[in-house]
Amino acid sequence: MTINQHSQTGTNLLQTALAKPYHYRRSGRYYLRLRPQGTAKGFFTLSLRTTDKATAMTISQEILQTLKAYHFDNPEATWDELRERLIDIAEHSLTMAFGDSSLVAYEMINDEHHQALREASAKMPLSVNQQRAVSKALEIIEASQDRMKGRPGKLVEIVRDLKGESCSTSVALTPSLSVLQIQPMTFKTLSGLYMEERKDSIQASTMRDVKSTCDVIGAILGDLDLKNHSRDDMRNLRAKLLEERKPSTVRKILTRLSTVMDWGVNNDYISKALTDGLKPTKGVDSAREAFSQDQVKALMTHAKTLPVDSWQRWALSLGVITGTRIEELRQLTKADVKQVGDVWIIDINRDDGKTAKTKNALRVIPLTDGAYGFDLQAFRGFVEKVDSKLFKLGVGQFSGLLNGMLRDVLDLKADRTQTFHSLRHSLAGAMKAAEVPVGTAESILGHASGSISYDLYGAGSGVEVGRMAEALKVAFAV
């Protein structure tokens, strides 16, 4: 989360206790503002990077616990005091039990903590002991991410070292700039610098994908100094990636590698990239598989067994009949379900702080009554009863529960070959089989070069929506 510190003359944020936190919303996103007690000055603001209130409050509480843990309101804190807090945090991270949904949520929260602490270290006037604690905390967070992937070794070692450390251990001074300059430039370090610079221009959902991909690369390259790497190092990386992954997946990972490495060259962190021509060209078809018609019918049969007021019923049904991306679906509001002429549609837009993958993703999609048994009237009844958002869950929980339901209903393997996103491929296949014109199919899926969302009620909009509605009826054979 971004920290904007506004220190005023004579006011040091860290010399007094913090006042009650203040939350506010701007352009749909939630923010947390902190300030010293007894003054309106010297505050700093943290973006919570979400438009969902429940998610914002969860992340906010985690942030406040983090601030408390590092005595950010007490620059006189001793290393022993901070070390005890670090032990508590590390042990909690090591022993905490997780479910599938909480694993996803805490991975996101840990990412936010890691970034917040790095920015605090860079921008806030912390004491030497506090800086030392932040440095160790970053190690704990990174080890916690490994532990949630079933690799607890690093976290166990950190707990052991903290508990075994003598109370008289001297405080290590911050290394000089000249020392930092001669340190090796690992991919983990380089990608961290890249993500830090791009954090304000990349959407949170995309940034999570960037981090995940960079973590994969960093784990293989390890301590390799990119200031002195060779073409063989890059070939070995590709070979290691291909051992357990499909060529299409490796191609995407190496595309990210090339982006980060080129950025490193352009910003003078490294002198060469050596990634040209590295991506595999054979077997790079998409690893994502569409659901068969029998699978789609089984999903809709299951959906219809759920109560009419169940969000799962309508999330699954809309995925089947509209081919929306999962985050497009999660952000839908009551106002996004509307009628154009005689056709009911959902409107994918950026109103009220909602996000969209690209400008072309902004579109309207007709709702096809009767498609696989979809009950439009029952869905409208569900929409009427909600206050605003159709689905109340945060990103990780919404995705985790929906994909978990797909796996349970269809007895799928957890290899991401078939996921909620596969419903888009299924709809695309159905339209292709029905010989729907490419331009119409692109408009429905959000791949077209233009969008009618900007002119929803303009001249010809009814004709455009009607054309898409008829195409979907043909594809679904309604």
Side-chain angles (χ1 to χ4, degrees):
M1 61 247 5
T2 303
I3 298 178
N4 299 312
Q5 186 176 345
H6 305 275
S7 296
Q8 306 294 333
T9 302
T11 302
N12 186 336
L13 180 63
L14 303 180
Q15 297 298 327
T16 182
L18 297 176
K20 183 178 179 180
Y22 169 66
H23 297 90
Y24 67 95
R25 192 180 184 194
R26 185 174 66 205
S27 300
R29 293 186 180 274
Y30 284 91
Y31 293 80
L32 169 65
R33 176 167 292 174
L34 302 172
R35 63 174 178 80
Q37 288 181 355
T39 177
K41 300 179 179 180
F43 64 87
F44 68 98
T45 300
L46 303 94
S47 169
L48 301 177
R49 292 191 176 186
T50 181
T51 60
D52 182 73
K53 185 175 182 180
T55 302
M57 294 304 103
T58 297
I59 295 174
S60 175
Q61 287 301 315
E62 295 284 346
I63 292 170
L64 294 173
Q65 288 298 321
T66 299
L67 296 177
K68 182 179 179 181
Y70 305 116
H71 290 284
F72 276 12
D73 58 349
N74 179 19
E76 303 303 320
T78 66
W79 169 243
D80 287 336
E81 290 173 329
L82 291 165
R83 184 169 62 89
E84 288 302 316
R85 291 288 180 87
L86 290 168
I87 291 172
D88 290 341
I89 293 169
E91 287 187 330
H92 178 70
S93 298
L94 185 60
T95 59
M96 183 179 180
F98 296 99
D100 289 341
S101 59
S102 62
L103 268 176
V104 175
Y106 271 88
E107 283 182 358
M108 294 169 57
I109 290 170
N110 279 344
D111 286 344
E112 299 285 358
H113 280 183
H114 196 278
Q115 184 168 330
L117 287 172
R118 281 168 34 217
E119 293 195 23
S121 175
K123 300 177 181 179
M124 296 176 66
L126 304 182
S127 69
V128 173
N129 283 328
Q130 287 172 322
Q131 289 283 20
R132 186 183 182 193
V134 168
S135 176
K136 181 58 69 174
L138 292 174
E139 293 181 28
I140 292 172
I141 292 172
E142 292 163 8
S144 296
Q145 297 290 64
D146 284 345
R147 182 253 158 166
M148 286 189 286
K149 296 175 183 176
R151 299 190 295 269
K154 291 182 181 178
L155 196 52
V156 170
E157 186 176 341
I158 288 173
V159 172
R160 184 194 63 198
D161 290 347
L162 284 171
K163 284 189 170 184
E165 188 175 271
S166 170
C167 293
S168 62
T169 301
S170 61
V171 175
L173 296 177
T174 304
S176 67
L177 181 60
S178 61
V179 172
L180 290 173
Q181 288 174 336
I182 64 172
Q183 289 180 338
M185 179 58 68
T186 65
F187 186 81
K188 181 178 180 181
T189 301
L190 182 65
S191 60
L193 294 167
Y194 168 80
M195 288 185 282
E196 176 68 18
E197 179 177 289
R198 301 299 307 280
K199 67 180 185 296
D200 294 327
S201 60
I202 298 179
Q203 293 182 9
S205 58
T206 302
M207 184 59 81
R208 285 192 294 274
D209 181 64
V210 171
K211 183 181 185 306
S212 176
T213 304
C214 288
D215 285 346
V216 169
I217 299 170
I220 295 175
L221 292 180
D223 295 330
L224 174 68
D225 188 353
L226 296 178
K227 296 175 184 176
N228 303 303
H229 73 287
S230 68
R231 180 68 174 182
D232 282 342
D233 293 322
M234 297 295 99
R235 291 196 188 98
N236 291 336
L237 167 65
R238 179 180 61 187
K240 293 289 288 185
L241 289 170
L242 285 168
E243 286 178 3
E244 299 179 354
R245 298 170 180 84
K246 294 184 178 181
S248 58
T249 302
V250 173
R251 185 177 179 84
K252 293 177 182 177
I253 294 174
L254 293 179
T255 297
R256 181 66 60 195
L257 169 73
S258 180
T259 299
V260 174
M261 295 287 281
D262 288 344
W263 177 87
V265 172
N266 293 335
N267 287 273
D268 203 28
Y269 288 114
I270 56 178
S271 60
K272 55 193 177 184
L274 302 181
T275 57
D276 289 347
L278 198 64
K279 290 177 282 189
T281 56
K282 295 182 179 180
V284 295
D285 293 336
S286 175
R288 195 87 69 195
E289 293 181 3
F291 292 117
S292 68
Q293 284 300 298
D294 286 341
Q295 287 177 310
V296 172
K297 290 174 182 176
L299 291 173
M300 285 300 287
T301 297
H302 173 75
K304 287 184 289 183
T305 67
L306 301 175
V308 292
D309 60 352
S310 166
W311 71 265
Q312 291 97 326
R313 172 174 179 158
W314 302 115
L316 182 55
S317 298
L318 291 179
V320 169
I321 70 167
T322 66
T324 57
R325 299 175 178 91
I326 197 165
E327 182 61 2
E328 294 172 346
L329 178 65
R330 188 190 72 85
Q331 297 179 101
L332 286 175
T333 67
K334 188 173 187 175
D336 296 330
V337 182
K338 58 187 72 171
Q339 195 171 14
V340 178
D342 296 329
V343 180
W344 281 91
I345 57 94
I346 56 172
D347 184 5
I348 309 298
N349 57 64
R350 287 175 173 158
D351 297 345
D352 301 320
K354 294 195 292 290
T355 61
K357 184 175 182 180
T358 64
K359 179 180 177 181
N360 296 337
L362 304 175
R363 65 198 188 281
V364 299
I365 311 172
L367 300 174
T368 310
D369 192 20
Y372 301 107
F374 175 72
D375 189 336
L376 177 58
Q377 185 174 354
F379 173 63
R380 288 171 54 194
F382 168 78
V383 173
E384 282 299 317
K385 293 179 181 179
V386 303
D387 296 329
S388 177
K389 297 190 68 174
L390 269 57
F391 311 110
K392 309 293 186 182
L393 300 179
V395 178
Q397 192 174 14
F398 185 75
S399 175
L401 290 177
L402 270 185
N403 278 299
M405 182 167 59
L406 292 180
R407 290 193 293 270
D408 291 342
V409 173
L410 300 178
D411 193 24
L412 301 175
K413 296 179 180 178
D415 60 0
R416 300 192 63 80
T417 299
Q418 287 185 312
T419 66
F420 188 89
H421 194 81
S422 297
L423 293 172
R424 282 175 62 79
H425 294 261
S426 299
L427 179 57
M431 289 191 289
K432 183 177 181 180
E435 298 183 349
V436 171
V438 173
T440 303
E442 288 180 339
S443 295
I444 292 168
L445 294 172
H447 292 157
S449 58
S451 171
I452 68 168
S453 290
Y454 293 118
D455 193 24
L456 184 58
Y457 302 109
S461 61
V463 174
E464 178 77 4
V465 170
R467 177 172 60 83
M468 291 192 294
E470 290 301 317
L472 286 171
K473 287 180 181 179
V474 172
F476 296 135
V478 175

